[in-house]
Amino acid sequence: MKWPDLCSPYGKVVAYKTLSNLKNAADERLDAAWHGAAGPADHEAPLVLIGHGVTANKDRPWAQALAERLSAAGFDVLRFSFAGNGESEGDYREATITKEVNDLRAVIDQYADRKLYYVGHSMGGAVGTLTIGRDRRIRGFVSLAGMVETKRFVTEEFGDLKPGRDVMWDEPAFPLSQAFVDDLTHIRSTLPHAADVHCPTLVVHGTEDDVVPIREGRAFYEALSCSKAWHRVEGGDHMFSDAAQDDMTAVVAAWLQQQAGMTSVPVAGIDRDKLRIGLVGVGRMGANIARHLQFDCGYCVNALYDVNRDAAQNLAAELDTQAVEKLSDVTAACDLILTVVTNDAAMRTIFFGDDDNLLQGAAGKTFLNCATVTPSIHQEVELAAKGVGAFSLEAPMASSIPQARNGTLFLMVGGEQEIFSNVRPLLTDMSSSLYYTGPAGTAAMVKALVNMVMNINTAGLAEGLGLAEALGLDLQMVKKIFGSTGANSRVLETDGDDMIARDHETFFSAAHAAKDSGIALQLALQNGLSLPLAAATRMQYEKLTEIGLGHLDKSSVAELTFKQRHASQSCKIRSE
């Protein structure tokens, strides 16, 4: 048993020891290294198991770096080589996914009384998927560039080789066996098994992976039905080399700490006199939030950013503050940054842009993201923020422009509850109704449901009033009866008169209605539900956008349902 010292890149010396008593069901010794201040008999710290991929072993640089980072973060870590790989006993020609599933289960058996997590790279990721689907002792799963299309992999990589005669990637130590080819061909894909994964799962993939394409990692993430998170490593290859290694290890450590309940939030409470606030996205909602916070509440709005430079500069002159040219300048100048952008693509740009983004120099900063976007992008942002030592909350708004200016927004907030508690004074100043919904992504889910139902109600009201008008009924009389019966709804009050008067001044655009109904339908698809009303409603708002009316308020859906209106006629002609 040896105890070499490794010089950790994270500021401390990390010791590990080699274990000699770990065996699989075939009584083959599995070479393993243990990281942690305590020995394997100590049961206090969570234990992370690390498994490797094809033609690899426990000593891959990414595995050692990850083990060091996790150990420094408070975990015990066991990285091991599957049978036939590295210094483990066994014949490499017998190394298949199916056999390695049994190896992993043997390791789990050894430490079944521990709080266990598993990180699997490449084929080790496929092993994790097939294991965890049948073994509920793993509490969290990280798939690092996990193999998904196993038949595609073995065909593309080794299809021109002869099993039993040739070797993998010109490496004599790794003969290509018929058992390996048959096993991966029979499994075909891990996608059908993704729904069986029961525990929270993080999928991490490099954008430049030429062994397992990132599209396969994303497809696996989409197929999961458990609590999940997705992180793409910009420029990362299959082995997470160079700078990609630090990105990967930081994100994995932050996510596992969150899953293990080890995170602490050293964020001070809100001090109105000292807090410096930044705004990214100064359209009508963002601009009015900024006005309210500075003029009415006395906060210091210290930096503004928008792709529309004129809008940012005009608001900066009004608030006597600065409009900066770079996203990283907002982060540098502020303690808390509110973002109010349009969609997932915009969120990716501001947080993950190659040359400039909000996460540059973001340690200790807090992000409050108010856009209505998909739950997954909020989860990605939270994970990436943790990776750089920052904090993130989502706070989608079920309100409009007057409420933004008056500080009477309806806010739904998702993320870590301690962060929510710390920034609650600011959130209270922005809102008249404030709800904490749960972990990252949950507020976006609720907001999608709110907007889906609102959009259905709006389209239904438009059809009811449109039919009433075609029947020659008094529309004000019909409105009053709707309001006193089961036909009543909030949109009757907000949109009824506007539909009749054709007053479609924009408070919530038809284009945004189409987008938000689409988010809800995507969530439904992921969960195996059919929502025909939501689908029909989205089609209506998409029609408005197609004919150039997407910029109008959602009440403009009445232009499709009132018989004599131009939009109704044009849509009728096109459908015929």
Side-chain angles (χ1 to χ4, degrees):
M1 186 175 292
K2 57 183 180 179
W3 288 82
D5 287 335
L6 296 180
C7 182
S8 169
Y10 311 114
K12 61 182 288 188
V13 173
V14 179
Y16 73 84
K17 65 178 179 179
T18 300
L19 303 183
S20 59
N21 61 346
L22 191 63
K23 293 187 176 183
N24 64 11
D27 203 35
E28 296 165 329
R29 184 187 61 82
L30 302 181
D31 184 37
W34 182 277
H35 295 250
D42 181 77
H43 292 183
E44 294 299 320
L47 174 58
V48 180
L49 311 174
I50 298 179
H52 60 80
V54 182
T55 68
N57 56 62
K58 67 177 177 59
D59 295 323
R60 286 289 196 182
W62 68 264
Q64 294 192 55
L66 179 59
E68 291 174 33
R69 189 152 208 159
L70 291 172
S71 180
F75 291 93
D76 284 343
V77 183
L78 178 72
R79 50 186 174 89
F80 67 97
S81 298
F82 291 107
N85 291 266
E87 298 299 317
S88 290
E89 294 178 349
D91 188 339
Y92 183 78
R93 290 169 297 184
E94 298 175 358
T96 65
I97 291 176
T98 298
K99 187 172 189 291
E100 291 183 0
V101 165
N102 292 327
D103 287 352
L104 177 56
R105 296 194 72 177
V107 176
I108 295 171
D109 288 342
Q110 180 85 3
Y111 300 102
D113 54 351
R114 299 293 297 265
K115 191 175 183 180
L116 294 176
Y117 300 86
Y118 176 68
V119 178
H121 175 259
S122 192
M123 194 167 93
V127 170
T129 300
L130 297 182
T131 302
I132 295 166
R134 296 177 292 170
D135 194 321
R136 304 189 72 84
R137 292 174 291 178
I138 295 294
R139 303 192 184 198
F141 172 36
V142 180
S143 174
L144 295 179
M147 189 184 293
V148 179
E149 299 299 336
T150 58
K151 182 179 180 180
R152 190 269 323 153
F153 171 83
V154 76
T155 301
E156 288 188 5
E157 297 294 335
F158 310 122
D160 58 346
L161 303 181
K162 184 175 178 58
R165 185 189 70 184
D166 293 327
V167 298
M168 298 180 178
W169 294 309
D170 298 320
E171 294 284 345
F174 302 109
L176 177 67
S177 70
Q178 189 66 53
F180 178 85
V181 173
D182 291 346
D183 191 61
L184 270 68
T185 301
H186 174 72
I187 292 170
R188 191 178 187 90
S189 173
T190 64
L191 288 181
H193 304 276
D196 297 328
V197 175
H198 61 87
C199 61
T201 298
L202 167 64
V203 182
V204 181
H205 223 104
T207 58
E208 305 305 314
D209 192 332
D210 60 356
V211 178
V212 179
I214 191 171
R215 66 176 182 274
E216 292 188 10
R218 185 67 192 187
F220 177 72
Y221 167 80
E222 297 291 352
L224 292 167
S225 57
C226 56
S227 172
K228 59 187 178 181
W230 162 261
H231 182 73
R232 50 185 277 152
V233 178
E234 295 296 335
D237 61 10
H238 188 61
M239 302 305 297
F240 299 101
S241 306
D242 303 321
Q245 179 175 285
D246 194 54
D247 184 349
M248 178 272 288
T249 58
V251 166
V252 171
W255 185 83
L256 285 171
Q257 281 189 314
Q258 181 183 22
Q259 299 307 312
M262 298 164 62
T263 54
S264 60
V265 188
V267 181
I270 295 296
D271 185 334
R272 182 177 282 105
D273 296 329
K274 295 180 181 179
L275 186 70
R276 301 171 302 163
I277 295 176
L279 261 294
V280 174
V282 296
R284 291 189 293 177
M285 290 297 289
N288 280 301
I289 291 173
R291 292 184 180 104
H292 171 70
L293 291 176
Q294 180 149 311
F295 292 148
D296 303 334
C297 301
Y299 288 101
C300 171
V301 177
N302 203 44
L304 304 173
Y305 177 91
D306 199 286
V307 291
N308 182 339
R309 297 290 176 83
D310 289 342
Q313 290 171 355
N314 291 338
L315 183 61
E318 182 182 345
L319 300 180
D320 192 23
T321 190
Q322 59 179 330
V324 298
E325 295 186 359
K326 296 174 62 180
L327 291 160
S328 55
D329 290 339
V330 182
T331 303
C334 301
D335 307 302
L336 184 144
I337 299 95
L338 289 103
T339 69
V340 191
V341 297
T342 53
N343 52 34
D344 281 25
M347 285 284 283
R348 291 190 187 284
T349 297
I350 65 175
F351 281 103
F352 306 117
D354 290 336
D355 300 323
D356 177 42
N357 64 62
L358 291 172
L359 294 178
Q360 294 175 356
K365 306 301 175 78
T366 300
F367 297 97
L368 187 62
N369 304 307
C370 300
T372 299
V373 292
T374 61
S376 61
I377 189 66
H378 283 304
Q379 293 166 339
E380 289 180 48
V381 168
E382 182 191 67
L383 192 59
K386 285 177 178 292
V388 298
F391 313 99
S392 176
L393 289 174
E394 62 191 283
M397 306 170 285
S399 309
S400 194
I401 297 162
Q403 291 77 33
R405 180 63 186 88
N406 297 329
T408 56
L409 293 167
F410 189 109
L411 294 179
M412 296 153 281
V413 183
E416 288 193 15
Q417 190 159 14
E418 191 172 356
I419 302 174
F420 168 70
S421 298
N422 286 335
V423 301
R424 186 166 188 154
L426 173 71
L427 295 167
T428 300
D429 285 335
M430 293 170 56
S431 65
S432 59
S433 297
L434 180 62
Y435 288 86
Y436 175 70
T437 61
T442 56
M445 294 175 190
V446 175
K447 178 62 189 299
L449 297 177
V450 167
N451 284 6
M452 178 191 79
V453 174
M454 177 183 70
N455 294 339
I456 291 171
N457 286 341
T458 306
L461 176 62
E463 293 191 1
L465 292 177
L467 179 56
E469 189 260 354
L471 295 171
L473 299 173
D474 182 322
L475 295 185
Q476 290 300 326
M477 175 267 293
V478 170
K479 261 191 70 214
K480 289 180 181 178
I481 293 175
F482 279 180
S484 301
T485 63
N488 194 19
S489 69
R490 173 68 174 159
V491 294
L492 178 66
E493 177 185 340
T494 59
D495 293 9
D497 286 334
D498 291 342
M499 290 179 177
I500 295 169
R502 305 186 74 177
D503 179 4
H504 306 307
E505 179 185 357
T506 307
F507 291 90
F508 181 75
S509 73
H512 280 153
K515 179 202 70 171
D516 293 354
S517 289
I519 293 173
L521 287 167
Q522 181 182 354
L523 292 172
L525 180 64
Q526 292 169 359
N527 287 277
L529 292 179
S530 174
L531 304 179
L533 293 180
T537 299
R538 182 179 63 168
M539 288 178 60
Q540 288 290 83
Y541 285 112
E542 287 178 341
K543 285 179 182 178
L544 283 170
T545 303
E546 290 170 9
I547 62 176
L549 301 181
H551 63 287
L552 297 179
D553 190 81
K554 63 182 173 59
S555 63
S556 64
V557 70
E559 299 302 304
L560 302 179
T561 61
F562 279 64
K563 191 173 183 180
Q564 301 304 320
R565 297 187 182 180
H566 174 72
S568 174
Q569 296 304 307
S570 64
C571 287
K572 180 179 179 182
I573 292 169
R574 185 171 65 253
S575 66
E576 291 174 347

